[in-house]
Amino acid sequence: MMDVPAANQSQTPSQPWAGQNGWSPASPQGAPCNPLPSFQHLNLGSPSDQRPFYDHLQESRQDCQSDLSTFPTRSNTHHSPQYAYTADQSLQHITSDSHASSVVTAASHGRILPPCSLPLQNEGTQPRKPFQMPFYSPYSPYQATPPHFQPPYTHQGSPNGPQSPHQKPVPLSPPSFGQCVDQNPQFSPQTAFKRETVETSDQYTHNHASPNSPIQQQSQWTLQQHSRGTTKDFVPYPAVQDGSITPQSPNSESRYGLDPELLPSAVKVIAEDRAEWEGKVFISEPFSRLPPLATTSCIIEDRGSASPFAIRSTSYCVPCEGQTALLSRLPLGALVAPLANQNPGELLPVITESECVMGCGWCGASMCTAMGWQDCGQRFYCPFCGKLSEVPWQHFQPTKGVEGLRVDREKRPELNMGSYEILNSQKGEPAALLLAIDVSASALRGGHLEFATQQILTLLSFLNRDDGDALADIRVGLMTYDSRLHLYDLSPALSRPHMLVITETEDLQLPVREGLLVSLKDCIDGIDSVLQLIPEFGPECDDSGGVPMELPVKAGLAVLQALNCPGKLLIFHTAPLIETEHTNSSSGFFGSNKPKSIFQPSEPAVSLAKQCVSQGCGVHLFLLSQQDVGGAWPGHIPYLTGGALYTYSHLQGELDRERFSSDLKSIVETDTGYKAELRISVNKDLRVSGCYGLFIPGPSPSQVTMATLDGLTTLAVELAHTRAVDETRGVALQVALSYSTRTGDRRTRVHTLTLRCSRHLQDAFRQYQAQTLLTFYCKKIYCAVLERPLQELREELQTEITEALASYRKHCCSASVSAGQLVLPQYLRALPVYINSLRKSEVLLPGLRSSVHQRLQQRCQVLSMDTCSTSTHFYPLLLPLPLSAEGSSSTDPEEALRCCAASLEPRGLYLVHAPLTLLLWVGTQVSASTLVELFNTSCFSSLPSGETKLPVLENPLSISVRSLISNLNSQAPRARKLWVVKQGDTCEEALQRHLVEDKSPNGGASYADFLYHLHVNSVRLLQ
């Protein structure tokens, strides 16, 4: 039990032994606690509603032979351990003789683990129930029918006995990471420091004691070439005793005595990948190796396989057998960003529909490099349906060579590239920009309409400029509303715009169509005159009862439908929002047998969003008066149509006004696809079993319809086996997006990714990446919260990761490892810290100060993120800032620190960068000269906290910090405000939520404790 739900989450009274942070304050008196508890008792869920997946593992009161060897703790830091990391990652831990002898004694007589936080049952051995892992809900609209074979993951348990309360707990041995050859280790009670021989070709050596680090046990990874695979012994040496080491924060300390600094670090994983790939070229070709991480900036060269920016597979080696895929316990799928560019500023090749070689006539798959040519180029084999198709005579070209490639392959993008675009012959109406402004009594009293209308006019004037990048030909419409609707005829033939008032808003009928949407260059003067008059309007009706949230959406949709064009609808709203009443009781909260959730949108909102999707209308809602308490949340329709929700506080502050201007400009200038239809094709031996993201689910997960999308829109696609895959052919995944551009052109963007296959489980484990799995799990679980309890989802996520580690330990370790050794795949070293951050996020585990609206907003914002933003959201970038002008040029994102309180020193300045937040933490011991150079004040107590803006000072330190903040803001998906957090201030809780390796304010477990539980539970599954 790790996570404690907040007060606003439904729960039963907590047990008296549970502390405020989710742990028992002391060991329970009376009967001693089981040292290796069953899985359900080590579960990290909340105490309110435990739903164990292994209902009753076998338990008894016998002596425990847990075999957990030594992991360096703060109580014995005088031992400086040495680790050897091999390619199959059997890690050897060597200690001094005196310490080793004590460990051997402990291992031979049984060990004591720290008492668990849940009381154990004493009824003796109880039967276990079979278990099935896949996240399948009978109500989930995002998933297809589950596969035919879903065998449970069975395991054998071992009895556990009583413990003596006088024995000291023994923590884990050091972790080992990497790939292993296919042997099945038997977990015998042997110590972790015993010399073992490993079958491998490479060897990793773990060194310590970096002189520049305050913690003397910093690990470094070096690759030793020409290793024969034998792990050598290392002579231990005492750690350097440094009295200046910064004490760890209580939130950073492990309940089990583990040193967080010695745990796998996500910061190191990102830094290593950047050192390998930053600024270099990655060749994306069929059956290519694992690509760089999404957080690494590199150049992608397309040689027949889609860029990882467009399609990023969860594993770049697909198991041939479905049983093997299920045995890994990790999902098989991909992250799809259809409109993402190959490289920044690089456009895909475009070919006309008549020039493109026709695709498969059976399944409709587009032509790609995965097609196999036969009969000298007269036919081709389609891997997506397994059938042969004839080549039309006008597109025929002979093949050459043993590989059977067409002679014109290098001249055709569809034959030599993984991504290209087809310009269709049909052309639709260009997209429009429709503005809807609230002029109710609340809006007129707020005093912000003048600024809002000025910014709208400034933006339109900017779009109407004369250079080639201008959008002067875009059609623009304008409307205002309170309880009534005011349309404006902007025809250039009129001397001034005419206002059309519609009082009957239930059955909306447009009186005219001409003049509602006019080219910007022809109506800019008319819009200018209307916008200048809007702040002078007088309130014509009382809006104390609120304004129906559907009114401006229905009006804008009616205008677009009347002119048969897609577009963006920008709504600037102030009055309280209400939902229209419906007499149909079946649409109420208790009118259905399906489980309900606070995240579920109402049926009228979904119905209206579907109409917007069919028309290609993306809704962007600007709430100019933030309403966090009470009322309906208005964000469902915007996010389901590819838009977003933006909230402000009456635009009174300078920061809000700057953010409003930035958001407004970003919405209009972002390249957008309208009326999008996404088709996902995969090998005939696989099927699309689920698709997750911000869209309205359709009848098939392989076909998705969206109103609008941009380059950051990312979906998670889940695959499942239907039969064994041919290892020689590999697996092909194709994503074809048909959409309309701003000018009305209809295009089809095709991405094809070809992956290799293997019959060995360890090959699949080697090709997983932690950031990809985090994004996949995030999108899947955040979609599942619509139908399933949060506690159940947190438990399932923990269980799936635990079983994956157990499977890797059992099937992929080349040599026997002791129960105390933590074994992780090399590229999944950061997965536990990512998963723990996801589990204790505000969406899944609300805090005491988390409102429902904030959680709904954060869920949709995270679902709309790409892989890079998602990984940064769940593990923010913690950057140390320079303290003087001499070090002002040394700030680099590669120098990021671990996200824990132990990384913060009172004499330092730190910047926390996340996609939705930017925090500047100031320690109490920062020098007065630094405060003067950066904040123009020498007193720490007079330093403002909260939302602020750094003063513009002409000194190197101020210029460097402001330049870094500007650079980080340019990488964020939306505008952010800078928060200054002073050490010890009341607003420091905002920072604590981003220190994901510590215990979180909402009751989430620390990274060290979560990793301990994962390890112990995975070992339990194999005993």
Side-chain angles (χ1 to χ4, degrees):
M1 114 152 202
M2 272 194 181
D3 301 333
V4 179
N8 61 347
Q9 186 180 11
S10 177
Q11 64 176 14
T12 56
S14 301
Q15 290 87 340
W17 40 263
Q20 293 182 357
N21 60 349
W23 300 106
S24 57
S27 301
Q29 302 296 326
C33 187
N34 195 327
L36 271 180
S38 65
F39 184 87
Q40 65 188 56
H41 293 137
L42 279 178
N43 192 280
L44 307 184
S46 66
S48 57
D49 67 79
Q50 294 289 336
R51 295 181 178 85
F53 292 97
Y54 297 88
D55 286 339
H56 296 289
L57 291 176
Q58 299 177 358
E59 299 183 16
S60 64
R61 313 296 290 177
Q62 302 176 1
D63 292 336
C64 173
Q65 305 293 334
S66 63
D67 210 25
L68 292 178
S69 55
T70 60
F71 194 105
T73 64
R74 307 190 192 287
S75 60
N76 59 352
T77 54
H78 58 279
H79 296 287
S80 182
Q82 299 290 321
Y83 310 109
Y85 296 85
T86 60
D88 67 347
Q89 304 310 314
S90 292
L91 177 145
Q92 312 305 320
H93 181 198
I94 313 300
T95 59
S96 60
D97 295 340
S98 60
H99 183 60
S101 61
S102 64
V103 176
V104 173
T105 305
S108 60
H109 294 288
R111 295 211 179 142
I112 304 300
L113 293 181
C116 59
S117 56
L118 288 178
L120 301 179
Q121 300 177 358
N122 300 324
E123 287 81 359
T125 303
Q126 297 183 2
R128 263 186 306 103
K129 298 181 181 180
F131 175 74
Q132 297 185 357
M133 260 317 299
F135 289 9
Y136 175 70
S137 170
Y139 306 110
S140 176
Y142 297 90
Q143 286 185 306
T145 307
H148 298 292
F149 46 92
Q150 296 276 356
Y153 185 93
T154 58
H155 57 275
Q156 296 179 354
S158 60
N160 299 310
Q163 304 279 330
S164 172
H166 303 289
Q167 290 180 296
K168 296 182 179 180
V170 181
L172 299 177
S173 66
S176 60
F177 319 104
Q179 304 91 359
C180 303
V181 299
D182 44 344
Q183 293 184 13
N184 298 340
Q186 302 299 325
F187 293 92
S188 57
Q190 56 181 338
T191 55
F193 47 82
K194 179 180 178 182
R195 179 184 302 181
E196 300 170 5
T197 301
V198 184
E199 299 291 338
T200 181
S201 59
D202 297 327
Q203 178 176 346
Y204 291 90
T205 304
H206 194 87
N207 300 324
H208 292 282
S210 173
N212 298 326
S213 174
I215 304 299
Q216 294 299 320
Q217 293 178 341
Q218 296 290 338
S219 58
Q220 298 176 352
W221 293 78
T222 58
L223 179 63
Q224 296 181 356
Q225 300 294 339
H226 312 296
S227 171
R228 308 306 299 174
T230 303
T231 304
K232 300 181 181 180
D233 293 342
F234 289 85
V235 179
Y237 57 91
V240 178
Q241 300 296 329
D242 188 355
S244 64
I245 294 179
T246 304
Q248 299 290 332
S249 166
N251 288 333
S252 302
E253 294 179 353
S254 169
R255 183 177 180 239
Y256 304 106
L258 304 184
D259 187 352
E261 291 294 330
L262 296 180
L263 300 182
S265 170
V267 174
K268 283 188 178 180
V269 172
I270 296 175
E272 291 170 3
D273 192 77
R274 282 178 174 167
E276 181 180 1
W277 288 108
E278 189 80 27
K280 299 180 181 179
V281 178
F282 173 78
I283 299 177
S284 181
E285 57 187 354
F287 311 111
S288 62
R289 56 175 175 168
L290 204 63
L293 295 177
T295 51
T296 300
S297 177
C298 65
I299 302 174
I300 306 298
E301 182 177 343
D302 188 344
R303 291 189 183 177
S305 192
S307 164
F309 297 144
I311 304 180
R312 187 176 289 269
S313 178
T314 56
S315 176
Y316 278 76
C317 182
V318 179
C320 292
E321 302 287 342
Q323 297 287 354
T324 306
L326 291 177
L327 195 62
S328 72
R329 316 309 303 168
L330 293 177
L332 180 61
L335 301 175
V336 177
L339 280 187
N341 292 326
Q342 184 91 345
N343 293 302
E346 180 180 341
L347 300 179
L348 293 179
V350 180
I351 55 178
T352 60
E353 187 176 11
S354 59
E355 295 176 352
C356 181
V357 179
M358 186 179 299
C360 180
W362 299 95
C363 64
S366 300
M367 179 57 60
C368 62
T369 56
M371 303 293 187
W373 298 97
Q374 299 182 6
D375 298 337
C376 297
Q378 297 182 13
R379 299 176 183 85
F380 63 88
Y381 171 81
C382 177
F384 305 106
C385 63
K387 297 181 180 180
L388 293 175
S389 296
E390 298 285 343
V391 179
W393 64 268
Q394 60 269 27
H395 293 155
F396 169 76
Q397 287 290 336
T399 58
K400 65 177 181 178
V402 180
E403 298 180 356
L405 301 178
R406 284 177 46 133
V407 296
D408 62 342
R409 178 178 182 271
E410 299 301 327
K411 300 179 181 179
R412 290 186 173 273
E414 69 270 27
L415 301 181
N416 62 49
M417 298 189 68
S419 300
Y420 65 96
E421 268 194 345
I422 303 174
L423 180 60
N424 299 340
S425 56
Q426 60 178 348
K427 185 178 177 65
E429 291 291 329
L433 179 63
L434 197 55
L435 308 173
I437 303 176
D438 179 12
V439 292
S440 61
S442 300
L444 296 174
R445 289 194 303 264
H448 54 266
L449 279 183
E450 182 177 359
F451 174 78
T453 54
Q454 287 179 356
Q455 292 301 312
I456 294 173
L457 182 58
T458 301
L459 176 64
L460 295 180
S461 301
F462 175 77
L463 299 178
N464 193 39
R465 64 190 187 276
D466 296 331
D467 57 13
D469 297 333
L471 301 176
D473 57 341
I474 188 174
R475 294 189 294 176
V476 180
L478 179 64
M479 68 176 71
T480 56
Y481 65 94
D482 42 23
S483 61
R484 303 174 300 175
L485 185 63
H486 316 134
L487 300 179
Y488 295 89
D489 186 352
L490 302 175
S491 299
L494 300 176
S495 59
R496 59 180 181 177
H498 290 180
M499 177 189 288
L500 308 174
V501 181
I502 302 177
T503 58
E504 184 60 40
T505 59
E506 292 295 332
D507 186 15
L508 190 60
Q509 297 291 334
L510 297 181
V512 295
R513 297 184 180 183
E514 297 296 330
L516 297 181
L517 292 177
V518 181
S519 177
L520 177 59
K521 59 184 178 182
D522 297 330
C523 67
I524 184 65
D525 295 334
I527 293 179
D528 185 6
S529 61
V530 175
L531 293 178
Q532 291 182 4
L533 291 175
I534 286 179
E536 301 177 2
F537 283 5
E540 301 181 4
C541 58
D542 183 17
D543 63 345
S544 58
V547 176
M549 57 185 304
E550 295 91 350
L551 176 59
V553 179
K554 287 182 177 179
L557 182 60
V559 172
L560 296 179
Q561 288 176 341
L563 299 176
N564 193 25
C565 66
K568 295 180 181 178
L569 173 61
L570 277 58
I571 303 175
F572 305 90
H573 191 87
T574 304
L577 287 168
I578 60 173
E579 290 185 295
T580 55
E581 298 180 358
H582 296 269
T583 57
N584 186 7
S585 60
S586 63
S587 63
F589 191 86
F590 301 100
S592 173
N593 293 328
K594 293 184 179 181
K596 296 298 181 180
S597 168
I598 62 172
F599 298 98
Q600 284 183 342
S602 62
E603 292 186 8
V606 174
S607 177
L608 188 55
K610 288 181 178 180
Q611 299 180 42
C612 293
V613 169
S614 62
Q615 187 59 36
C617 173
V619 179
H620 297 263
L621 179 58
F622 293 81
L623 280 187
L624 305 183
S625 61
Q626 190 168 355
Q627 306 164 10
D628 280 341
V629 181
W633 187 64
H636 291 298
I637 294 178
Y639 282 109
L640 288 177
T641 59
L645 173 66
Y646 306 86
T647 56
Y648 311 90
S649 299
H650 294 281
L651 299 179
Q652 298 300 324
E654 181 182 359
L655 296 177
D656 262 354
R657 295 191 172 192
E658 290 183 356
R659 189 163 56 95
F660 174 80
S661 303
S662 177
D663 290 336
L664 188 60
K665 183 178 180 181
S666 175
I667 291 173
V668 177
E669 293 186 338
T670 300
D671 290 334
T672 305
Y674 303 87
K675 303 183 73 171
E677 298 176 0
L678 185 68
R679 186 185 72 250
I680 306 168
S681 304
V682 70
N683 266 46
K684 60 184 180 63
D685 303 321
L686 301 174
R687 64 183 181 89
V688 179
S689 60
C691 189
Y692 314 100
L694 274 180
F695 60 90
I696 301 176
S700 174
S702 61
Q703 296 181 353
V704 178
T705 304
M706 292 174 284
T708 60
L709 78 164
D710 55 27
L712 296 179
T713 304
T714 304
L715 307 180
V717 179
E718 189 171 17
L719 307 177
H721 284 75
T722 57
R723 60 179 69 88
V725 180
D726 188 355
E727 188 173 4
T728 60
R729 292 184 179 272
V731 168
L733 175 65
Q734 184 177 97
V735 176
L737 176 70
S738 178
Y739 70 101
S740 297
T741 63
R742 178 186 59 83
T743 58
D745 295 332
R746 193 69 183 174
R747 298 191 177 192
T748 301
R749 180 169 293 196
V750 181
H751 302 285
T752 306
L753 179 66
T754 306
L755 306 171
R756 64 185 181 92
C757 300
S758 176
R759 299 185 180 277
H760 304 290
L761 181 60
Q762 68 271 17
D763 291 337
F765 271 112
R766 290 172 181 172
Q767 301 298 317
Y768 277 100
Q769 284 182 329
Q771 290 182 357
T772 308
L773 286 178
L774 167 68
T775 309
F776 183 92
Y777 280 127
C778 173
K779 294 186 181 297
K780 186 173 183 177
I781 292 181
Y782 277 18
C783 287
V785 299
L786 298 177
E787 305 288 350
R788 303 182 59 186
L790 302 182
Q791 175 68 16
E792 180 180 334
L793 293 174
R794 292 197 302 269
E795 290 176 352
E796 282 195 357
L797 179 61
Q798 175 195 338
T799 306
E800 183 161 347
I801 301 303
T802 301
E803 291 199 334
L805 298 184
S807 177
Y808 180 79
R809 189 184 190 96
K810 178 179 180 180
H811 300 285
C812 301
C813 288
S814 62
S816 297
V817 293
S818 67
Q821 288 180 274
L822 173 64
V823 183
L824 294 171
Q826 179 177 359
Y827 296 109
L828 297 184
R829 287 173 286 167
L831 185 61
V833 68
Y834 284 147
I835 294 301
N836 185 43
S837 180
L838 173 60
R839 288 183 67 258
K840 61 183 183 180
S841 62
E842 293 291 330
V843 176
L844 299 181
L845 189 66
L848 295 174
R849 301 180 183 180
S850 300
S851 68
V852 174
H853 285 192
Q854 289 174 344
R855 296 173 61 201
L856 291 168
Q857 174 85 341
Q858 186 179 118
R859 171 188 173 268
C860 293
Q861 288 175 336
V862 176
L863 271 176
S864 62
M865 292 180 183
D866 59 356
T867 308
C868 179
S869 298
T870 302
S871 59
T872 310
H873 172 77
F874 288 104
Y875 198 95
L877 206 60
L878 180 59
L879 298 174
L881 296 181
L883 299 177
S884 62
E886 289 76 10
S888 60
S889 60
S890 62
T891 303
D892 193 332
E894 295 184 4
E895 300 177 358
L897 306 176
R898 303 185 70 148
C899 286
C900 58
S903 301
L904 305 177
E905 297 182 359
R907 60 179 180 272
L909 295 169
Y910 300 89
L911 198 63
V912 179
H913 163 62
L916 305 177
T917 311
L918 189 63
L919 302 176
L920 177 58
W921 187 83
V922 184
T924 56
Q925 300 178 16
V926 176
S927 63
S929 60
T930 301
L931 295 179
V932 171
E933 292 182 2
L934 193 58
F935 301 101
N936 200 22
T937 180
S938 60
C939 182
F940 177 82
S941 59
S942 63
L943 186 67
S945 61
E947 301 177 3
T948 186
K949 181 180 180 180
L950 294 180
V952 179
L953 303 176
E954 295 301 327
N955 61 76
L957 178 60
S958 176
I959 294 175
S960 174
V961 173
R962 286 186 287 110
S963 176
L964 175 62
I965 292 176
S966 177
N967 183 35
L968 294 177
N969 282 333
S970 64
Q971 303 174 12
R974 61 194 307 171
R976 303 171 300 177
K977 290 181 290 187
L978 176 66
W979 281 71
V980 173
V981 179
K982 298 193 299 183
Q983 182 181 6
D985 197 70
T986 55
C987 64
E988 201 171 17
E989 182 180 343
L991 173 69
Q992 295 173 0
R993 289 197 298 265
H994 292 83
L995 300 179
V996 296
E997 292 197 15
D998 297 341
K999 296 181 180 68
S1000 57
N1002 60 353
S1006 67
Y1007 168 42
D1009 293 339
F1010 178 74
L1011 183 61
Y1012 174 87
H1013 279 249
L1014 283 183
H1015 170 74
V1016 173
N1017 290 335
S1018 63
V1019 172
R1020 283 284 302 167
L1021 295 180
L1022 302 176
Q1023 291 178 342

